[in-house]
Amino acid sequence: AQSVTQLDSQVPVFEEAPVELRCNYSSSVSVYLFWYVQYPNQGLQLLLKYLSGSTLVKGINGFEAEFNKSQTSFHLRKPSVHISDTAEYFCAVSELTTDSWGKLQFGAGTQVVVTP
Amino acid sequence: DVKVTQSSRYLVKRTGEKVFLECVQDMDHENMFWYRQDPGLGLRLIYFSYDVKMKEKGDIPEGYSVSREKKERFSLILESASTNQTSMYLCASSLSYMTGNNYGYTFGSGTRLTVV
């Protein structure tokens, strides 16, 4: 069965500094990978996804992530953060099996706090 | 703009009450999901449905049931609410995995339920 580990529960970062959020997964089959963002008092919004092809994926709001199959990782990065990037970020994995029904397994989340 | 709508943003219920959480999507999605979100635990799947009148248990179904009589509506039912069901509840929908695509979920804004 799949599992998702987000290695940092909270990441403090200064405005205009870079940020990296780490995500590792375990699965015995091929997977799709996702990053979601949750702003305060809102639902989750898709940032980016990896389905196939190039391992470097670009998403909304200047975020990108790189799929590393050998490391089973899907780390999220942004070169320069804004105050508005303060949010919780979730990594999610979907196994490519017929009985998965496309279900997503989520990590525990990483809270990003951007300060001036 | 496509949407997943959850009927209530905040609910306060008493222990022992029967509670209904409603979710409606307008995207003609086959799959619908109910998650609960708790600090430090991320999102945990309660139930999902891949078709009308079809339902499958997720990781934490105990104390919950669901109903899907129409494609666009998926209801979560707490048969007898307890204080440990105080949480944020998130509904999501997605295309059927059988289409060969997995674009992830579209989420509602969530219902914050407090059981007193």
Side-chain angles (χ1 to χ4, degrees):
Chain A
Q2 64 202 21
S3 67
V4 183
T5 303
Q6 291 184 240
L7 295 155
D8 305 292
S9 59
Q10 188 167 36
V11 173
V13 58
F14 289 110
E15 193 174 18
E16 298 183 5
V19 70
E20 179 180 79
L21 308 184
R22 297 178 292 167
C23 174
N24 286 91
Y25 69 92
S26 66
S27 177
S28 58
V29 301
S30 296
V31 295
Y32 291 152
L33 297 155
F34 304 81
W35 275 99
Y36 284 83
V37 60
Q38 185 180 34
Y39 300 105
N41 298 314
Q42 294 186 26
L44 276 70
Q45 176 183 354
L46 182 65
L47 266 182
L48 49 78
K49 59 183 180 285
Y50 171 79
L51 304 182
S52 65
S54 172
T55 57
L56 183 62
V57 179
K58 293 190 184 296
I60 62 172
N61 300 341
F63 283 92
E64 64 181 30
E66 185 155 20
F67 171 51
N68 187 319
K69 188 174 182 180
S70 62
Q71 302 285 329
T72 61
S73 67
F74 191 53
H75 300 334
L76 180 71
R77 301 183 184 96
K78 186 170 182 177
S80 176
V81 297
H82 302 293
I83 297 289
S84 60
D85 292 321
T86 294
E88 190 154 23
Y89 294 80
F90 292 93
C91 180
V93 171
S94 176
E95 290 188 326
L96 273 65
T97 59
T98 52
D99 62 353
S100 76
W101 296 101
K103 297 195 304 291
L104 296 185
Q105 182 78 29
F106 288 86
T110 298
Q111 180 67 46
V112 172
V113 180
V114 182
T115 53
Chain B
D1 195 16
V2 294
K3 276 190 174 177
V4 175
T5 303
Q6 295 184 230
S7 54
S8 304
R9 287 286 284 129
Y10 300 94
L11 275 179
V12 180
K13 296 293 181 180
R14 295 195 180 278
T15 301
E17 276 193 79
K18 190 169 186 176
V19 180
F20 293 85
L21 303 184
E22 306 288 345
C23 176
V24 177
Q25 52 98 1
D26 64 1
M27 296 166 285
D28 202 35
H29 282 173
E30 290 83 5
N31 293 346
M32 295 189 76
F33 307 84
W34 275 107
Y35 284 84
R36 65 176 282 175
Q37 181 183 7
D38 299 289
L41 297 178
L43 278 72
R44 294 179 291 168
L45 181 64
I46 304 171
Y47 268 96
F48 72 101
S49 168
Y50 52 89
D51 201 351
V52 176
K53 296 191 185 294
M54 306 302 289
K55 59 185 179 184
E56 293 285 339
K57 292 180 180 179
D59 300 319
I60 52 164
E62 296 78 19
Y64 303 94
S65 62
V66 290
S67 172
R68 194 168 180 199
E69 296 297 317
K70 293 185 178 181
K71 190 175 185 180
E72 67 271 19
R73 186 181 295 272
F74 191 37
S75 303
L76 179 69
I77 304 156
L78 286 66
E79 297 290 343
S80 177
S82 64
T83 55
N84 63 12
Q85 292 178 309
T86 291
S87 186
M88 170 71 90
Y89 290 87
L90 291 166
C91 175
S93 70
S94 73
L95 288 168
S96 170
Y97 176 74
M98 297 305 179
T99 65
N101 297 313
N102 189 338
Y103 299 116
Y105 295 175
T106 301
F107 279 89
S109 297
T111 296
R112 187 167 294 282
L113 173 66
T114 302
V115 182
V116 297

